[in-house]
PDB file of all heavy atoms in Angstrom:
ATOM      1  N   VAL A  21       3.837  17.877 -16.861  1.00  0.00           N
ATOM      2  CA  VAL A  21       4.822  17.878 -17.926  1.00  0.00           C
ATOM      3  C   VAL A  21       4.081  17.928 -19.255  1.00  0.00           C
ATOM      4  O   VAL A  21       3.737  16.905 -19.824  1.00  0.00           O
ATOM      5  CB  VAL A  21       5.712  16.619 -17.862  1.00  0.00           C
ATOM      6  CG1 VAL A  21       6.805  16.696 -18.905  1.00  0.00           C
ATOM      7  CG2 VAL A  21       6.313  16.495 -16.486  1.00  0.00           C
ATOM      8  N   ALA A  22       3.772  19.130 -19.712  1.00  0.00           N
ATOM      9  CA  ALA A  22       2.929  19.305 -20.878  1.00  0.00           C
ATOM     10  C   ALA A  22       3.303  20.593 -21.587  1.00  0.00           C
ATOM     11  O   ALA A  22       4.074  21.386 -21.074  1.00  0.00           O
ATOM     12  CB  ALA A  22       1.464  19.350 -20.437  1.00  0.00           C
ATOM     13  N   PRO A  23       2.745  20.860 -22.795  1.00  0.00           N
ATOM     14  CA  PRO A  23       3.066  22.091 -23.508  1.00  0.00           C
ATOM     15  C   PRO A  23       2.604  23.320 -22.735  1.00  0.00           C
ATOM     16  O   PRO A  23       1.562  23.317 -22.110  1.00  0.00           O
ATOM     17  CB  PRO A  23       2.275  21.944 -24.819  1.00  0.00           C
ATOM     18  CG  PRO A  23       2.036  20.477 -24.961  1.00  0.00           C
ATOM     19  CD  PRO A  23       1.897  19.958 -23.572  1.00  0.00           C
ATOM     20  N   LEU A  24       3.372  24.388 -22.795  1.00  0.00           N
ATOM     21  CA  LEU A  24       3.034  25.629 -22.125  1.00  0.00           C
ATOM     22  C   LEU A  24       3.123  26.788 -23.111  1.00  0.00           C
ATOM     23  O   LEU A  24       3.964  26.795 -23.996  1.00  0.00           O
ATOM     24  CB  LEU A  24       4.011  25.913 -20.970  1.00  0.00           C
ATOM     25  CG  LEU A  24       4.095  24.868 -19.865  1.00  0.00           C
ATOM     26  CD1 LEU A  24       5.195  25.269 -18.889  1.00  0.00           C
ATOM     27  CD2 LEU A  24       2.785  24.759 -19.131  1.00  0.00           C
ATOM     28  N   ALA A  25       2.249  27.790 -22.961  1.00  0.00           N
ATOM     29  CA  ALA A  25       2.361  28.996 -23.765  1.00  0.00           C
ATOM     30  C   ALA A  25       3.632  29.726 -23.362  1.00  0.00           C
ATOM     31  O   ALA A  25       3.954  29.821 -22.181  1.00  0.00           O
ATOM     32  CB  ALA A  25       1.140  29.877 -23.530  1.00  0.00           C
ATOM     33  N   ALA A  26       4.353  30.260 -24.357  1.00  0.00           N
ATOM     34  CA  ALA A  26       5.649  30.871 -24.083  1.00  0.00           C
ATOM     35  C   ALA A  26       5.543  31.991 -23.057  1.00  0.00           C
ATOM     36  O   ALA A  26       6.380  32.127 -22.177  1.00  0.00           O
ATOM     37  CB  ALA A  26       6.251  31.390 -25.386  1.00  0.00           C
ATOM     38  N   GLN A  27       4.481  32.827 -23.144  1.00  0.00           N
ATOM     39  CA  GLN A  27       4.368  33.956 -22.234  1.00  0.00           C
ATOM     40  C   GLN A  27       4.095  33.532 -20.800  1.00  0.00           C
ATOM     41  O   GLN A  27       4.303  34.300 -19.869  1.00  0.00           O
ATOM     42  CB  GLN A  27       3.267  34.930 -22.708  1.00  0.00           C
ATOM     43  CG  GLN A  27       1.847  34.369 -22.658  1.00  0.00           C
ATOM     44  CD  GLN A  27       1.452  33.666 -23.931  1.00  0.00           C
ATOM     45  OE1 GLN A  27       2.322  33.216 -24.678  1.00  0.00           O
ATOM     46  NE2 GLN A  27       0.166  33.577 -24.203  1.00  0.00           N
ATOM     47  N   ASP A  28       3.619  32.302 -20.572  1.00  0.00           N
ATOM     48  CA  ASP A  28       3.306  31.819 -19.235  1.00  0.00           C
ATOM     49  C   ASP A  28       4.287  30.750 -18.751  1.00  0.00           C
ATOM     50  O   ASP A  28       4.158  30.246 -17.648  1.00  0.00           O
ATOM     51  CB  ASP A  28       1.896  31.220 -19.207  1.00  0.00           C
ATOM     52  CG  ASP A  28       0.833  32.269 -19.503  1.00  0.00           C
ATOM     53  OD1 ASP A  28       0.876  33.320 -18.862  1.00  0.00           O
ATOM     54  OD2 ASP A  28      -0.007  32.021 -20.378  1.00  0.00           O
ATOM     55  N   GLN A  29       5.217  30.393 -19.561  1.00  0.00           N
ATOM     56  CA  GLN A  29       6.082  29.256 -19.263  1.00  0.00           C
ATOM     57  C   GLN A  29       6.881  29.453 -17.973  1.00  0.00           C
ATOM     58  O   GLN A  29       6.879  28.583 -17.099  1.00  0.00           O
ATOM     59  CB  GLN A  29       7.039  28.998 -20.423  1.00  0.00           C
ATOM     60  CG  GLN A  29       7.901  27.758 -20.230  1.00  0.00           C
ATOM     61  CD  GLN A  29       8.718  27.446 -21.469  1.00  0.00           C
ATOM     62  OE1 GLN A  29       8.933  28.306 -22.317  1.00  0.00           O
ATOM     63  NE2 GLN A  29       9.158  26.230 -21.580  1.00  0.00           N
ATOM     64  N   ALA A  30       7.546  30.592 -17.835  1.00  0.00           N
ATOM     65  CA  ALA A  30       8.391  30.804 -16.665  1.00  0.00           C
ATOM     66  C   ALA A  30       7.585  30.774 -15.376  1.00  0.00           C
ATOM     67  O   ALA A  30       7.970  30.138 -14.397  1.00  0.00           O
ATOM     68  CB  ALA A  30       9.140  32.125 -16.795  1.00  0.00           C
ATOM     69  N   ALA A  31       6.429  31.456 -15.371  1.00  0.00           N
ATOM     70  CA  ALA A  31       5.610  31.523 -14.160  1.00  0.00           C
ATOM     71  C   ALA A  31       5.040  30.158 -13.806  1.00  0.00           C
ATOM     72  O   ALA A  31       5.025  29.762 -12.634  1.00  0.00           O
ATOM     73  CB  ALA A  31       4.491  32.535 -14.332  1.00  0.00           C
ATOM     74  N   ALA A  32       4.560  29.416 -14.809  1.00  0.00           N
ATOM     75  CA  ALA A  32       3.960  28.108 -14.539  1.00  0.00           C
ATOM     76  C   ALA A  32       4.999  27.122 -14.039  1.00  0.00           C
ATOM     77  O   ALA A  32       4.749  26.365 -13.096  1.00  0.00           O
ATOM     78  CB  ALA A  32       3.283  27.580 -15.800  1.00  0.00           C
TER      79      ALA A  32
END
Side-chain angles (χ1 to χ4, degrees):
V21 185
L24 301 175
Q27 66 271 23
D28 296 310
Q29 184 173 20

